[in-house]
Amino acid sequence: MLFSDGLPQPNIDGGFKGAVAARAAGITYRQLDYWARTGLVEPTVRGASGSGSQRLYGFRDILVLKLVKRLLDTGISLQQIRTAVAQLHEAGVHDLSQTTLMSDGAGVYLCTSNDEVIDLVSRGQGVFGIAVGKVLREVETSLVDLDDHREKAADDSSLNDELAARRAARKTS
């Protein structure tokens, strides 16, 4: 796994279910399904293998999903986003916290150093940038919050089960 400090544990197969991945990335399940079926962001832990099977997404997959969402929100075309995702995969960038995605509105550029960012901006091309490290921390926080919420819901349901058992016992006596 790419990161593990403080993150919720993925399921036994080492991935996060689609609903968790969608919530952590801030997208709908419908978007997640469409992007997986069209090959934009495919799950790396386990893909769908037929009716009833579940996709499992890794942490890096969720990060890419959130980056795609950010790029869409800024008005970048899906075709350019596909190019950017391909660049991320081809570059195999290990230290994503030092990576910035820059765009001039038409294209997306992968910058792995401050010099590249400065060079791009000085040529008048860069209009906005997305610091991948910041998005990475947001995904970590989202997953931790989702895990905390899941644990609280489990605690609440066990309390409700106990109360339901007591009420049922009272009715029979």
Side-chain angles (χ1 to χ4, degrees):
M1 183 173 210
L2 187 59
F3 303 96
S4 60
D5 295 339
L7 288 178
Q9 294 301 312
N11 76 2
I12 195 160
D13 294 322
F16 298 94
K17 292 181 181 178
V20 173
R23 274 183 272 158
I27 60 173
T28 65
Y29 189 82
R30 192 175 178 111
Q31 285 175 303
L32 178 80
D33 182 55
Y34 176 74
W35 294 348
R37 285 186 292 110
T38 60
L40 177 62
V41 182
E42 297 176 285
T44 57
V45 177
R46 184 174 69 206
S49 58
S51 179
S53 65
Q54 273 191 333
R55 296 181 185 108
L56 291 178
Y57 291 83
F59 180 83
R60 194 177 184 109
D61 301 332
I62 298 171
L63 175 62
V64 173
L65 289 167
K66 187 144 184 115
L67 289 170
V68 168
K69 169 86 165 92
R70 285 277 172 88
L71 291 169
L72 278 174
D73 289 347
T74 58
I76 302 297
S77 73
L78 204 51
Q79 181 180 0
Q80 288 299 322
I81 292 172
R82 286 185 188 280
T83 303
V85 169
Q87 285 177 349
L88 276 172
H89 286 298
E90 288 171 14
V93 179
H94 296 290
D95 189 6
L96 292 172
S97 63
Q98 299 301 315
T99 303
T100 303
L101 291 175
M102 299 290 292
S103 177
D104 58 3
V108 179
Y109 309 97
L110 180 69
C111 300
T112 55
S113 72
N114 290 339
D115 292 338
E116 289 176 335
V117 172
I118 292 168
D119 185 46
L120 191 61
V121 172
S122 68
R123 287 186 282 153
Q125 288 181 306
V127 174
F128 69 88
I130 298 173
V132 177
K134 183 176 185 287
V135 176
L136 185 145
R137 286 184 292 283
E138 288 174 11
V139 170
E140 286 176 337
T141 302
S142 294
L143 287 172
V144 169
D145 289 347
L146 287 170
D147 195 48
D148 289 347
H149 179 71
R150 183 184 54 80
E151 287 176 6
K152 184 180 181 313
D155 291 344
D156 290 347
S157 67
S158 65
L159 178 63
N160 290 336
D161 290 344
E162 184 181 327
L163 290 173
R166 286 183 184 185
R167 287 182 185 130
R170 268 195 214 148
K171 284 182 181 179
T172 58
S173 55

